[in-house]
Amino acid sequence: MSERSGYSPAVLKLLEKYKADLFQEVNIKLVDHREINGIILPRPFYGDPDVLVLKLPNGYNIGIEYKKIKYIAVISPAKRKPLVELALPHLREDLPLVYMLSTGGTIASRIDYSTGAVYPFFTAEEIYRMVPELLDLAYIKAETVYSIFSEDMTPKRWDELAKRIYEIYRKEAPAGIIVAHGTDTMGYTAAAIAFAVRNLPGPVIFVGSQRSSDRPSSDTALNVICAVKTAIEAPFGESVVVMHGCTSDDYCLAHRGVKVRKMHTSRRDAFRSVNDIPLALIRPQQRIKLLTSRYLKRSEEEPQLLGGFEEKVALIKFYPGMHPEILEFLHEEGYKGIVIEATGLGHVSEKLVEPIRKMVKDGIPIVITSQCMWGRVNLNVYRRGVELIKAGALPGEDMLPETAFVKLSWVLKRADDIESAYKMMLTNYVYEINPRSEERFYPPVWR
Amino acid sequence: MINYKEIGLKCGLELHQMLDTSTKLFCKCPPEIRHEDPEFTFKRRLRPTRSEIGEIDPAALFEFKKGRTYLYEGYEDNVCLVEMDEEPPHDLNREALQIALEISLLLNAKPVDEIHVMRKIVIDGSNTTGFQRTALISINGCIEVNGKKVPIQTICLEEDAARKIGEKEGGRVVVYRLDRLGIPLIEIATAPVINTPDEAYEVARYIGRLLRITGKVKRGLGTIRQDLNISIKGGARVEIKGVQKLELLPKIVEYEALRQLRLLELKKELEKRGVKEDDISYSFIDVTDIFANSKSKIVSRALKSEGIGLAVKVPGFAGLIGCELQPGRRFGTELADYVRFWSGLRGIFHSDELPAYGISEEEVEKVRRRLNMNERDAFILAFGPAEDCRNALKAVVDRIKVALRGVPEETRGANDDGTTKFLRPMPGRARMYPETDIRPIRIDDKLLETLRAKLPETPEKKLKRFVEEYGLSRELAEKILDSKFLQVFEALVREVKVPPVLIASTLTNTLVELRREGLDTESLSQSKLWELFRAVEAGTLSKEAVPEVLREMLKQPEESVTDIIERIGLKSLSEDEARRIVNEVINSSSEKLLSMNEKKAINFIMGRAMSKLRGRIDGRKVYKIVSEEVSKFFKEHGKS
């Protein structure tokens, strides 16, 4: 009955009166004597609840205000056609094993044609059907970990995901593990996995889509094919993001999870490596092409699980006129660490210096990154920077604010005091810090 | 002559008209077609998605398997991320919606209470998304054409598709230009109540006029396209896409009726011959060796590039593959259309046309023997890559089997001569699902009331008024009604004191003549027309001189109308000046005049005077002056 909930009581009463229900084919007589045939659909989430939604025989949906309806005659009972499951060609278990985990997001959802509602799905069968090319590429096992929007991801879930990845690598030894993830916070999760699962015997590949899989123009197929190729062919054992490299359905790029950011709200090629170049370029018909020799190789040793993320860490963006109360509030609330997205080389206003000093004094790490995204912070150039250093803030090198945030959460579960936390923050674990700023990093074009 | 009543012709029209809005339907790009080289390109593929019944459209799947990629071309200033499918659609353009509602009311249709934008799956690449956004605006309309009621079933508002520019790499890459994608179209579908070819024209013309009197639709070639669905008794519903010329409609209807008749005759003949579907098998025989030394260029070229020759026997079809379905189009032509769609081949050979094209009698005989044929049988030959040949012959056999059943339902494209060619199989029931990125739009009754209150006159009323009030002939009234200057005409008649007939004939006949002279009448601005008729109103320009001034206006678009009148010396003459000139003419030929009678003399002087006065003063005035002066002259010289 929840599907009826979009309608107003008046519409529901009308349906009741004529014993009509959702998905039934009906003949509706209007007050102006016209007659309309169609199938009653659930009310979409938005729109006027007094309007009955009907699918006409020609496929169009229209809305009719209940007041204009004189009579409803049910022609045929509800027929909701279940999605027919097509027989799959037999799977080739001789192909490399690739694991696909799903956390939700556009890539793992499908539209219900009758209602337009999007619901999650994620089975190996569905993936093979959607991208038949995979049948000749890999033996895929799929597993749903979460069915959530990516903005509902939490540090606790990073932890659980890390554990699952670790287990799969230990027990099943796949060529690679792919994680289907909503694109919005994909960068955060990719960074978290980079810190939490180490000595990776193969890559962990985050993949998503910017156009849902039920659309003929979806970017899913190319992204998934390239992700699977990366899982099988990549020499690296790192947490990466594989998404479209340009607006064309041409190639994908594998970006290092700790150095990638979603830089566009809607484009297929929204993901960009920041202060780094992508690890590899992948075309469906060619072998994966490495773009750098600076990467962590697939580990020969056992993978290592270093889980645990502190939840009381904040990532805040400085803006002109920002009140010190915000920092004071976080201090009072018992926050254990703060990453500040500061201006330019790493600056905040004069008023914030004192609260920062107080927090550091209480052992709370304050890490300075830049809202410029590209480039490295440096607190020695201007006086304010020097003041921040004196107050005890830590310049976060060329780390992305999001990466610094994830890293600080992770560090705080392992460091005993602020000194060791700062030391760990500046330790380069998984290439999250680039000691050299190369010319080709910016503008972010490379050949 | 076909008796259309007897064959049960039924035809419905689907008109697509571009609206004249300031932005596209789902983004803020200007709706303009451009002709320069594109400024950027990108490539995409489209994948068939499963329909709600778990099936993939076979034609769509085939297109995908061919490995088609689409190369899209764009311009920075009229293509944005929305057309590129890189940004969700913006809200539906309200200006376009308002026009669609206004047209709905003109067509006596009932708008729905809530509009739901849908996605109609189209994966030929013409939409970057793989679907066309379309919304049903109204239903249950009705018009009356020549006393006959024509129901209007649906009125939809939809986005136009990208323009196909061409193909590359042997059809593997299809090139589309994105400037047209997203331009608002109104789609008007009539019930299939049209029973003769001429009626199709009449109905289309009527709806076209109705659209144009709103003044809110685009004009010119390519701004209106018509699709037809046509069937006859015992035939099948065939859709014909993309007719741009109204005048072509009757011919298309006639030829399609003819084609279906001929296919039914073909079926009858096959029944008579006792041919059964099972007689025709998919056994393809390799005949490469027979053509190893063929003189046919097509054949030897195909074989040289590692192709093969493949043949299939068609029992009982001798003489029938060459039978004509439409002028210049045979059953064999139809088969070739199918081959082009379902394989990479450009065409096939059939036994009814051979020997020819360099294929010898001897080769034909060898094929016949290889296929174990008798004289009642026909064969089809394909040359090219092995897989293409197999696909081609499979398509041929599929189509031939259908011939035993009659007319296949399919989508066809119009040729310039009114014949049609196979485009693709009829898509299954339109696969539509809601466009979840756009919220449903509530149509409020108040808006409809406002629109209803200011609806323009219907074409019939306008025609009547033009004839009765403005004194236009029926012919001229129709001309101005169909002219792009209709709105200007009405404004001029209202504002400027010049006879409506002069304005109407200037805007229609005169401009057509000037265009035939090769002048560019397209860029003529409205303000210039106002200037022209204001000059006539003020008396500085005589109505006889209007065509000449207009000619100069087109030649020198920069020059003002006043300057033109001044320059070519067409400034109106006062009566006194005219009288002086007339007297000059009389005096210069006084002796000659005396040998004539007065009537003859008037005509003589009239001719000479007009050559000097034409365009500068009304001819009737000249006649009056000439009559008076000649008569005075005769009196003075003692004649009368």
mmCIF file of all heavy atoms in Angstrom, chain A residues 236-266:
data_model
loop_
_atom_site.group_PDB
_atom_site.id
_atom_site.type_symbol
_atom_site.label_atom_id
_atom_site.label_comp_id
_atom_site.label_asym_id
_atom_site.label_seq_id
_atom_site.Cartn_x
_atom_site.Cartn_y
_atom_site.Cartn_z
ATOM 1 N N PHE A 236 49.538 -2.664 -10.224
ATOM 2 C CA PHE A 236 49.549 -2.017 -8.900
ATOM 3 C C PHE A 236 48.548 -2.634 -7.931
ATOM 4 O O PHE A 236 47.542 -3.211 -8.330
ATOM 5 C CB PHE A 236 49.318 -0.508 -9.018
ATOM 6 C CG PHE A 236 48.211 -0.091 -9.939
ATOM 7 C CD1 PHE A 236 46.878 -0.163 -9.524
ATOM 8 C CD2 PHE A 236 48.494 0.405 -11.214
ATOM 9 C CE1 PHE A 236 45.871 0.246 -10.375
ATOM 10 C CE2 PHE A 236 47.478 0.808 -12.062
ATOM 11 C CZ PHE A 236 46.156 0.725 -11.649
ATOM 12 N N GLY A 237 48.895 -2.501 -6.654
ATOM 13 C CA GLY A 237 47.992 -2.927 -5.591
ATOM 14 C C GLY A 237 47.608 -1.710 -4.779
ATOM 15 O O GLY A 237 48.076 -1.509 -3.671
ATOM 16 N N GLU A 238 46.765 -0.866 -5.391
ATOM 17 C CA GLU A 238 46.366 0.377 -4.727
ATOM 18 C C GLU A 238 44.862 0.545 -4.812
ATOM 19 O O GLU A 238 44.193 -0.108 -5.605
ATOM 20 C CB GLU A 238 47.025 1.596 -5.417
ATOM 21 C CG GLU A 238 48.513 1.705 -5.217
ATOM 22 C CD GLU A 238 49.030 3.110 -5.530
ATOM 23 O OE1 GLU A 238 48.284 4.089 -5.294
ATOM 24 O OE2 GLU A 238 50.165 3.219 -6.028
ATOM 25 N N SER A 239 44.352 1.459 -3.990
ATOM 26 C CA SER A 239 42.938 1.809 -4.061
ATOM 27 C C SER A 239 42.797 2.929 -5.087
ATOM 28 O O SER A 239 43.388 3.991 -4.920
ATOM 29 C CB SER A 239 42.462 2.284 -2.687
ATOM 30 O OG SER A 239 41.173 2.830 -2.790
ATOM 31 N N VAL A 240 42.043 2.648 -6.154
ATOM 32 C CA VAL A 240 41.957 3.631 -7.244
ATOM 33 C C VAL A 240 40.499 3.873 -7.642
ATOM 34 O O VAL A 240 39.620 3.107 -7.288
ATOM 35 C CB VAL A 240 42.741 3.168 -8.499
ATOM 36 C CG1 VAL A 240 44.226 3.041 -8.194
ATOM 37 C CG2 VAL A 240 42.196 1.840 -9.021
ATOM 38 N N VAL A 241 40.316 4.965 -8.379
ATOM 39 C CA VAL A 241 39.011 5.281 -8.956
ATOM 40 C C VAL A 241 39.144 5.159 -10.462
ATOM 41 O O VAL A 241 40.046 5.753 -11.044
ATOM 42 C CB VAL A 241 38.574 6.715 -8.584
ATOM 43 C CG1 VAL A 241 37.401 7.173 -9.445
ATOM 44 C CG2 VAL A 241 38.218 6.797 -7.107
ATOM 45 N N VAL A 242 38.283 4.347 -11.099
ATOM 46 C CA VAL A 242 38.313 4.232 -12.564
ATOM 47 C C VAL A 242 37.015 4.807 -13.126
ATOM 48 O O VAL A 242 35.930 4.292 -12.846
ATOM 49 C CB VAL A 242 38.511 2.774 -13.013
ATOM 50 C CG1 VAL A 242 38.269 2.625 -14.513
ATOM 51 C CG2 VAL A 242 39.914 2.297 -12.658
ATOM 52 N N MET A 243 37.143 5.888 -13.856
ATOM 53 C CA MET A 243 35.981 6.550 -14.472
ATOM 54 C C MET A 243 36.391 7.120 -15.828
ATOM 55 O O MET A 243 37.573 7.144 -16.155
ATOM 56 C CB MET A 243 35.477 7.688 -13.566
ATOM 57 C CG MET A 243 34.849 7.252 -12.249
ATOM 58 S SD MET A 243 33.183 6.568 -12.388
ATOM 59 C CE MET A 243 32.208 8.029 -12.726
ATOM 60 N N HIS A 244 35.395 7.594 -16.593
ATOM 61 C CA HIS A 244 35.655 8.190 -17.903
ATOM 62 C C HIS A 244 36.822 9.196 -17.853
ATOM 63 O O HIS A 244 36.902 10.001 -16.933
ATOM 64 C CB HIS A 244 34.419 8.954 -18.383
ATOM 65 C CG HIS A 244 33.542 8.156 -19.300
ATOM 66 N ND1 HIS A 244 32.968 6.968 -18.923
ATOM 67 C CD2 HIS A 244 33.126 8.385 -20.580
ATOM 68 C CE1 HIS A 244 32.238 6.499 -19.931
ATOM 69 N NE2 HIS A 244 32.318 7.331 -20.948
ATOM 70 N N GLY A 245 37.663 9.149 -18.883
ATOM 71 C CA GLY A 245 38.771 10.082 -18.956
ATOM 72 C C GLY A 245 38.418 11.347 -19.704
ATOM 73 O O GLY A 245 39.082 12.379 -19.561
ATOM 74 N N CYS A 246 37.393 11.299 -20.552
ATOM 75 C CA CYS A 246 36.948 12.482 -21.284
ATOM 76 C C CYS A 246 35.463 12.306 -21.560
ATOM 77 O O CYS A 246 34.880 11.293 -21.192
ATOM 78 C CB CYS A 246 37.740 12.649 -22.590
ATOM 79 S SG CYS A 246 37.522 11.277 -23.731
ATOM 80 N N THR A 247 34.854 13.264 -22.211
ATOM 81 C CA THR A 247 33.406 13.178 -22.414
ATOM 82 C C THR A 247 33.037 12.074 -23.407
ATOM 83 O O THR A 247 31.931 11.560 -23.391
ATOM 84 C CB THR A 247 32.822 14.544 -22.840
ATOM 85 O OG1 THR A 247 31.393 14.448 -22.866
ATOM 86 C CG2 THR A 247 33.295 14.960 -24.214
ATOM 87 N N SER A 248 33.973 11.684 -24.278
ATOM 88 C CA SER A 248 33.705 10.611 -25.237
ATOM 89 C C SER A 248 33.737 9.251 -24.553
ATOM 90 O O SER A 248 34.381 9.085 -23.533
ATOM 91 C CB SER A 248 34.757 10.628 -26.351
ATOM 92 O OG SER A 248 34.601 11.758 -27.164
ATOM 93 N N ASP A 249 33.044 8.278 -25.167
ATOM 94 C CA ASP A 249 33.139 6.898 -24.682
ATOM 95 C C ASP A 249 34.400 6.296 -25.284
ATOM 96 O O ASP A 249 34.341 5.439 -26.156
ATOM 97 C CB ASP A 249 31.923 6.079 -25.135
ATOM 98 C CG ASP A 249 30.682 6.444 -24.353
ATOM 99 O OD1 ASP A 249 30.816 6.817 -23.174
ATOM 100 O OD2 ASP A 249 29.588 6.338 -24.920
ATOM 101 N N ASP A 250 35.538 6.768 -24.811
ATOM 102 C CA ASP A 250 36.786 6.450 -25.470
ATOM 103 C C ASP A 250 37.707 5.663 -24.530
ATOM 104 O O ASP A 250 38.077 4.533 -24.806
ATOM 105 C CB ASP A 250 37.426 7.767 -25.922
ATOM 106 C CG ASP A 250 38.493 7.551 -26.951
ATOM 107 O OD1 ASP A 250 38.740 6.381 -27.298
ATOM 108 O OD2 ASP A 250 39.100 8.540 -27.402
ATOM 109 N N TYR A 251 38.039 6.268 -23.400
ATOM 110 C CA TYR A 251 38.940 5.594 -22.459
ATOM 111 C C TYR A 251 38.603 6.021 -21.034
ATOM 112 O O TYR A 251 37.908 7.010 -20.821
ATOM 113 C CB TYR A 251 40.401 5.947 -22.758
ATOM 114 C CG TYR A 251 40.709 7.418 -22.682
ATOM 115 C CD1 TYR A 251 41.072 8.018 -21.469
ATOM 116 C CD2 TYR A 251 40.637 8.228 -23.810
ATOM 117 C CE1 TYR A 251 41.342 9.376 -21.397
ATOM 118 C CE2 TYR A 251 40.903 9.575 -23.752
ATOM 119 C CZ TYR A 251 41.262 10.149 -22.540
ATOM 120 O OH TYR A 251 41.523 11.484 -22.463
ATOM 121 N N CYS A 252 39.095 5.248 -20.083
ATOM 122 C CA CYS A 252 38.955 5.609 -18.678
ATOM 123 C C CYS A 252 40.337 5.878 -18.103
ATOM 124 O O CYS A 252 41.347 5.478 -18.673
ATOM 125 C CB CYS A 252 38.304 4.478 -17.894
ATOM 126 S SG CYS A 252 36.534 4.351 -18.171
ATOM 127 N N LEU A 253 40.349 6.539 -16.963
ATOM 128 C CA LEU A 253 41.592 6.779 -16.246
ATOM 129 C C LEU A 253 41.484 6.149 -14.871
ATOM 130 O O LEU A 253 40.410 6.148 -14.260
ATOM 131 C CB LEU A 253 41.833 8.285 -16.094
ATOM 132 C CG LEU A 253 42.124 9.043 -17.390
ATOM 133 C CD1 LEU A 253 42.141 10.545 -17.133
ATOM 134 C CD2 LEU A 253 43.449 8.599 -17.996
ATOM 135 N N ALA A 254 42.621 5.595 -14.412
ATOM 136 C CA ALA A 254 42.673 5.084 -13.046
ATOM 137 C C ALA A 254 43.371 6.141 -12.196
ATOM 138 O O ALA A 254 44.550 6.438 -12.410
ATOM 139 C CB ALA A 254 43.439 3.763 -12.999
ATOM 140 N N HIS A 255 42.609 6.732 -11.292
ATOM 141 C CA HIS A 255 43.165 7.777 -10.429
ATOM 142 C C HIS A 255 43.487 7.166 -9.070
ATOM 143 O O HIS A 255 42.726 6.357 -8.552
ATOM 144 C CB HIS A 255 42.156 8.905 -10.204
ATOM 145 C CG HIS A 255 41.655 9.538 -11.466
ATOM 146 N ND1 HIS A 255 42.303 10.577 -12.083
ATOM 147 C CD2 HIS A 255 40.557 9.282 -12.222
ATOM 148 C CE1 HIS A 255 41.623 10.936 -13.173
ATOM 149 N NE2 HIS A 255 40.562 10.159 -13.270
ATOM 150 N N ARG A 256 44.561 7.616 -8.480
ATOM 151 C CA ARG A 256 44.936 7.155 -7.141
ATOM 152 C C ARG A 256 43.874 7.649 -6.153
ATOM 153 O O ARG A 256 43.545 8.840 -6.139
ATOM 154 C CB ARG A 256 46.308 7.725 -6.827
ATOM 155 C CG ARG A 256 46.876 7.386 -5.505
ATOM 156 C CD ARG A 256 48.340 7.775 -5.460
ATOM 157 N NE ARG A 256 49.178 6.719 -5.994
ATOM 158 C CZ ARG A 256 50.232 6.926 -6.781
ATOM 159 N NH1 ARG A 256 50.549 8.139 -7.153
ATOM 160 N NH2 ARG A 256 50.949 5.905 -7.201
ATOM 161 N N GLY A 257 43.365 6.726 -5.339
ATOM 162 C CA GLY A 257 42.259 7.054 -4.435
ATOM 163 C C GLY A 257 42.529 8.211 -3.491
ATOM 164 O O GLY A 257 41.613 8.940 -3.129
ATOM 165 N N VAL A 258 43.782 8.400 -3.090
ATOM 166 C CA VAL A 258 44.085 9.481 -2.148
ATOM 167 C C VAL A 258 44.376 10.803 -2.873
ATOM 168 O O VAL A 258 44.624 11.820 -2.245
ATOM 169 C CB VAL A 258 45.294 9.122 -1.249
ATOM 170 C CG1 VAL A 258 44.885 8.073 -0.224
ATOM 171 C CG2 VAL A 258 46.471 8.624 -2.088
ATOM 172 N N LYS A 259 44.368 10.757 -4.221
ATOM 173 C CA LYS A 259 44.719 11.960 -4.977
ATOM 174 C C LYS A 259 43.637 12.335 -5.984
ATOM 175 O O LYS A 259 43.916 12.986 -6.989
ATOM 176 C CB LYS A 259 46.046 11.713 -5.732
ATOM 177 C CG LYS A 259 47.282 11.799 -4.848
ATOM 178 C CD LYS A 259 47.491 13.213 -4.375
ATOM 179 C CE LYS A 259 48.860 13.486 -3.828
ATOM 180 N NZ LYS A 259 48.880 14.779 -3.093
ATOM 181 N N VAL A 260 42.417 11.870 -5.738
ATOM 182 C CA VAL A 260 41.380 12.117 -6.737
ATOM 183 C C VAL A 260 40.235 12.902 -6.123
ATOM 184 O O VAL A 260 39.955 12.812 -4.926
ATOM 185 C CB VAL A 260 40.878 10.778 -7.328
ATOM 186 C CG1 VAL A 260 40.073 9.969 -6.318
ATOM 187 C CG2 VAL A 260 40.046 11.019 -8.596
ATOM 188 N N ARG A 261 39.585 13.703 -6.965
ATOM 189 C CA ARG A 261 38.473 14.513 -6.484
ATOM 190 C C ARG A 261 37.416 14.605 -7.564
ATOM 191 O O ARG A 261 37.729 14.706 -8.754
ATOM 192 C CB ARG A 261 38.983 15.919 -6.164
ATOM 193 C CG ARG A 261 38.048 16.704 -5.267
ATOM 194 C CD ARG A 261 38.788 17.907 -4.704
ATOM 195 N NE ARG A 261 38.009 18.541 -3.657
ATOM 196 C CZ ARG A 261 37.031 19.409 -3.882
ATOM 197 N NH1 ARG A 261 36.719 19.742 -5.119
ATOM 198 N NH2 ARG A 261 36.364 19.941 -2.883
ATOM 199 N N LYS A 262 36.144 14.572 -7.185
ATOM 200 C CA LYS A 262 35.054 14.798 -8.147
ATOM 201 C C LYS A 262 34.989 16.295 -8.388
ATOM 202 O O LYS A 262 34.687 17.059 -7.474
ATOM 203 C CB LYS A 262 33.736 14.285 -7.567
ATOM 204 C CG LYS A 262 32.575 14.344 -8.565
ATOM 205 C CD LYS A 262 31.278 13.795 -7.981
ATOM 206 C CE LYS A 262 30.170 13.799 -9.045
ATOM 207 N NZ LYS A 262 28.893 13.302 -8.529
ATOM 208 N N MET A 263 35.305 16.720 -9.595
ATOM 209 C CA MET A 263 35.458 18.142 -9.874
ATOM 210 C C MET A 263 34.304 18.714 -10.695
ATOM 211 O O MET A 263 34.351 19.863 -11.104
ATOM 212 C CB MET A 263 36.782 18.395 -10.611
ATOM 213 C CG MET A 263 38.004 18.042 -9.806
ATOM 214 S SD MET A 263 38.087 18.888 -8.210
ATOM 215 C CE MET A 263 38.444 20.559 -8.760
ATOM 216 N N HIS A 264 33.307 17.912 -10.997
ATOM 217 C CA HIS A 264 32.191 18.416 -11.796
ATOM 218 C C HIS A 264 30.924 17.751 -11.293
ATOM 219 O O HIS A 264 30.955 16.592 -10.903
ATOM 220 C CB HIS A 264 32.416 18.104 -13.280
ATOM 221 C CG HIS A 264 31.570 18.925 -14.200
ATOM 222 N ND1 HIS A 264 30.253 18.609 -14.467
ATOM 223 C CD2 HIS A 264 31.838 20.058 -14.882
ATOM 224 C CE1 HIS A 264 29.761 19.521 -15.298
ATOM 225 N NE2 HIS A 264 30.692 20.412 -15.559
ATOM 226 N N THR A 265 29.822 18.497 -11.300
ATOM 227 C CA THR A 265 28.596 17.933 -10.742
ATOM 228 C C THR A 265 28.024 16.829 -11.613
ATOM 229 O O THR A 265 27.407 15.902 -11.123
ATOM 230 C CB THR A 265 27.505 19.010 -10.583
ATOM 231 O OG1 THR A 265 27.260 19.607 -11.859
ATOM 232 C CG2 THR A 265 27.933 20.067 -9.595
ATOM 233 N N SER A 266 28.228 16.910 -12.934
ATOM 234 C CA SER A 266 27.462 16.006 -13.781
ATOM 235 C C SER A 266 28.228 15.338 -14.917
ATOM 236 O O SER A 266 27.756 14.360 -15.473
ATOM 237 C CB SER A 266 26.260 16.762 -14.368
ATOM 238 O OG SER A 266 26.698 17.860 -15.131
#
